[in-house]
């Protein structure tokens, strides 16, 4: 699948999703629809077991295109805009496969929301994140900031539009590491290939568990994990993974 502004390249079980809308990968309505369609397809495709999301050029995503904002005088425009904005993040968050963010520059506003929806985050040395809506007389995105930041940092960024650098993100344990621009994509792709090498059913269960335990009380979350781990242990792939480990060979998974 490809689109004018969203590319999907597949190799070795990894889907590389690249946003490419010059000059700063600003999100239009059409680009959001393309991202939703891309991540929905990744969920269904058996040849993709992990995904990496990045931006072409030196900017990850500068957020919503202000020129593309809905016309308040047109009935239904704001509802359609808000719905597809929510669904873009949800398509990434609810993707059945793990998604790694390779934040290769500024991730602002709705662009920050895309990164925050990913499972694992890495940043280049020139990366920054922020929610600059207040600078253009708007307010929004506290729920996105809450995903990654504590109360005081959230409110400071929300009220001022200030950005955090890649090293600020690392200090706050928001990203796993900060890498050079040239090393960011090779590193994240290598990690994605490692994830893709695991049993597909186990990865699917693990992604679902990670999302569920985020919103569950700990007592319920532990029981949930125990129950699905018991079900997973009865699958052919789980038995194959154990045998391959004991026999020191590469596993052959069948997805069942």
């Amino acid at each position: 699948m490809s689109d004018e502004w969203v590319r999907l390249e597949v190799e070795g079980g990894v889907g590389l999703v690249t946003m490419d809308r010059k000059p700063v990968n600003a999100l239009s309505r059409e680009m959001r629809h393309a991202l939703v369609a891309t991540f929905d397809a990744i969920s269904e495709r058996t040849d993709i077991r992990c995904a990496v999301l990045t931006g072409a050029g030196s900017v990850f995503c500068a957020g919503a295109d202000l020129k593309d904002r809905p016309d308040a005088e047109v009935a239904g425009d704001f509802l359609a805009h808000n719905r597809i904005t929510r669904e873009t993040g949800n398509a990434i968050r609810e993707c059945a496969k793990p998604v790694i963010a390779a934040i290769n520059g500024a991730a602002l506003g709705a662009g920050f929301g895309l990164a925050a929806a990913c499972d694992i985050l890495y940043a280049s040395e020139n990366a920054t994140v922020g929610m600059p809506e207040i600078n253009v007389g708007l307010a929004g995105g506290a729920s996105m900031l809450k995903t990654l930041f504590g109360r005081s940092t959230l409110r400071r960024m929300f009220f001022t539009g200030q950005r955090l650098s890649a090293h600020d993100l690392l200090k706050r344990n928001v990203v796993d590491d900060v890498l050079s621009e040239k090393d960011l994509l090779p590193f994240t792709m290598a990690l994605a290939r490692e994830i893709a090498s695991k049993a597909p059913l186990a990865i699917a269960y693990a992604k679902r568990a990670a999302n569920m335990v985020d919103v569950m009380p700990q007592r319920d979350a532990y029981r949930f994990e125990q129950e699905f781990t018991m079900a997973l242990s009865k699958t052919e792939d789980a038995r194959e993974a154990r045998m391959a480990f004991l026999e020191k060979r590469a596993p052959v998974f069948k997805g069942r």
Side-chain angles (χ1 to χ4, degrees):
M1 176 185 294
S2 65
D3 183 84
E4 182 182 1
W5 295 321
V6 178
R7 295 196 306 273
L8 172 59
E9 303 163 83
V10 182
E11 183 180 351
V14 176
L16 172 61
V17 181
T18 305
M19 296 176 285
D20 191 0
R21 185 171 184 242
K22 294 178 176 58
V24 292
N25 299 324
L27 292 167
S28 65
R29 184 178 300 185
E30 293 80 4
M31 190 172 172
R32 287 186 172 99
H33 279 292
L35 283 165
V36 170
T38 298
F39 280 98
D40 283 351
I42 287 170
S43 284
E44 296 288 340
R45 287 180 57 163
T46 58
D47 61 331
I48 302 175
R49 297 184 294 281
C50 188
V52 173
L53 175 64
T54 195
S58 58
V59 175
F60 178 79
C61 177
D65 188 343
L66 286 178
K67 298 189 294 294
D68 195 55
R69 282 193 65 77
D71 185 345
E73 302 302 317
V74 178
D77 249 22
F78 263 109
L79 290 173
H81 170 82
N82 289 344
R83 184 177 301 111
I84 191 59
T85 299
R86 291 195 302 272
E87 287 310 307
T88 308
N90 288 341
I92 297 171
R93 189 176 298 106
E94 296 170 7
C95 181
K97 318 294 170 62
V99 183
I100 303 171
I103 308 170
N104 58 307
L108 306 176
F112 167 80
L114 299 182
C118 294
D119 298 294
I120 302 170
L121 282 67
Y122 284 86
S124 64
E125 291 172 331
N126 67 325
T128 58
V129 303
M131 194 62 62
E133 273 73 359
I134 200 75
N135 294 331
V136 291
L138 301 173
S143 60
M144 299 176 188
L145 291 165
K146 185 179 180 181
T147 304
L148 300 179
F149 299 110
R151 183 177 186 275
S152 181
T153 299
L154 180 161
R155 292 180 184 229
R156 174 172 60 83
M157 294 175 69
F158 195 46
F159 298 158
T160 66
Q162 291 176 355
R163 304 183 188 185
L164 291 180
S165 71
H167 291 286
D168 288 330
L169 297 175
L170 183 61
K171 183 170 65 177
R172 289 171 168 79
N173 296 318
V174 170
V175 297
D176 253 16
D177 206 352
V178 174
L179 304 162
S180 69
E181 291 178 62
K182 69 179 180 65
D183 291 335
L184 177 66
L185 197 54
F187 182 91
T188 52
M189 289 295 288
L191 177 60
R193 285 191 291 271
E194 180 183 350
I195 293 171
S197 72
K198 310 301 182 186
L201 283 177
I203 287 295
Y205 272 91
K207 175 63 188 279
R208 181 169 174 238
N211 283 350
M212 293 294 289
V213 299
D214 266 352
V215 296
M216 279 183 171
Q218 185 172 357
R219 180 175 178 272
D220 295 338
Y222 189 52
R223 179 178 290 111
F224 170 79
E225 289 190 272
Q226 286 180 316
E227 288 173 355
F228 83 66
T229 298
M230 180 174 65
L232 184 61
S233 70
K234 298 176 182 178
T235 63
E236 289 184 33
D237 276 1
R239 289 193 290 272
E240 169 63 10
R242 290 193 295 274
M243 292 303 297
F245 180 82
L246 293 171
E247 295 169 5
K248 297 180 171 54
R249 60 172 173 83
V252 179
F253 296 122
K254 299 178 180 179
R256 58 178 188 262

